[in-house]
Amino acid sequence: MTLDKNLSLTAAISAIIFASTVPVEVTKLAAHFEVTAEDIMNAAEKIKKQFEDSNCGIRLKETDGRYSFSTKPEYGESTAAFLDQRRAAFLSNAALETLAIAAYNQPVTKTYISQVRGVSSAEVVESLVDKGLLEEAGRLDLPGHPMSYITTDKFLTVFGLDSLESLPKQDSFIEKAEAEEEEYVQTSLTDSL
């Protein structure tokens, strides 16, 4: 679509990013406006600078070639308090466990998640797909050709992550679990004396 000469590409891009519920890809914007990716990135830099230079509580965020608007970190706490929404408050423990397994091991199958959790997780996976936090990633070349699942951009947004690399390192969980287990064993031994 060629943009009317009386309209600003920068303004049109910001309108699309604002209206979109998921981060918008540079390549899709470039194709839509029939311009180069560089034109889009230059316009995005102008938008980013406008928000940085103004006394505004939102920012333009770029992650892996995709743009979205988000609350500036310094306004995050007051915004969350006003909305009275905590990240993932609508998710059960089973859903949070399932998301953690998927995020750290993706792509994963329902069977894999069920084995790790020790209980059937098919319904939880389907619920997370319905919520847009997991998505199908194709069938694996395994017996039965099971469907695999990965986390979505909405997952990153809900949990305030820029990318999967922003997830806490698994080693820190293992060290903490080992320390807690050692403390438990020491306490149990002391209590039994």
Side-chain angles (χ1 to χ4, degrees):
M1 169 186 171
T2 306
L3 191 63
D4 183 308
K5 65 180 179 181
N6 296 323
L7 297 177
S8 159
L9 177 63
T10 303
I13 291 169
S14 64
I16 289 171
I17 295 169
F18 174 76
S20 180
T21 58
V22 296
V24 182
E25 293 180 32
V26 170
T27 54
K28 288 186 179 178
L29 288 169
H32 179 72
F33 289 113
E34 299 172 1
V35 298
T36 66
E38 187 176 344
D39 292 334
I40 299 299
M41 291 186 285
N42 289 337
E45 281 304 312
K46 288 179 187 175
I47 297 167
K48 190 180 280 188
K49 186 161 176 42
Q50 287 172 346
F51 283 115
E52 287 172 0
D53 292 346
S54 70
N55 190 17
C56 181
I58 60 175
R59 65 181 175 157
L60 179 66
K61 187 169 94 172
E62 187 271 329
T63 306
D64 297 330
R66 291 172 282 171
Y67 293 105
S68 62
F69 286 120
S70 68
T71 304
K72 286 183 178 174
E74 59 268 31
Y75 298 105
E77 189 175 327
S78 63
T79 302
F82 176 78
L83 296 174
D84 194 32
Q85 294 178 347
R86 289 181 174 52
R87 280 186 263 154
F90 63 95
L91 297 173
S92 66
N93 286 339
L96 291 172
E97 287 174 2
T98 300
L99 283 172
I101 293 165
Y104 282 102
N105 300 287
Q106 59 189 308
V108 294
T109 63
K110 291 177 184 176
T111 302
Y112 177 81
I113 293 169
S114 296
Q115 287 173 341
V116 172
R117 291 191 63 234
V119 295
S120 176
S121 300
E123 288 182 23
V124 178
V125 170
E126 290 304 321
S127 171
L128 292 169
V129 169
D130 290 344
K131 288 181 168 109
L133 298 172
L134 288 180
E135 66 184 359
E136 293 179 350
R139 299 212 173 263
L140 296 178
D141 191 20
L142 296 171
H145 300 287
M147 180 60 67
S148 64
Y149 297 88
I150 59 173
T151 56
T152 63
D153 289 335
K154 183 176 180 181
F155 164 82
L156 295 174
T157 302
V158 167
F159 287 92
L161 300 169
D162 289 331
S163 67
L164 290 174
E165 287 76 36
S166 303
L167 286 167
K169 301 296 177 231
Q170 285 180 302
D171 294 344
S172 63
F173 298 129
I174 293 168
E175 290 168 8
K176 182 178 177 185
E178 287 172 351
E180 288 174 355
E181 184 178 338
E182 186 177 319
E183 183 180 322
Y184 174 76
V185 169
Q186 288 176 351
T187 304
S188 297
L189 288 173
T190 308
D191 291 346
S192 64
L193 294 176

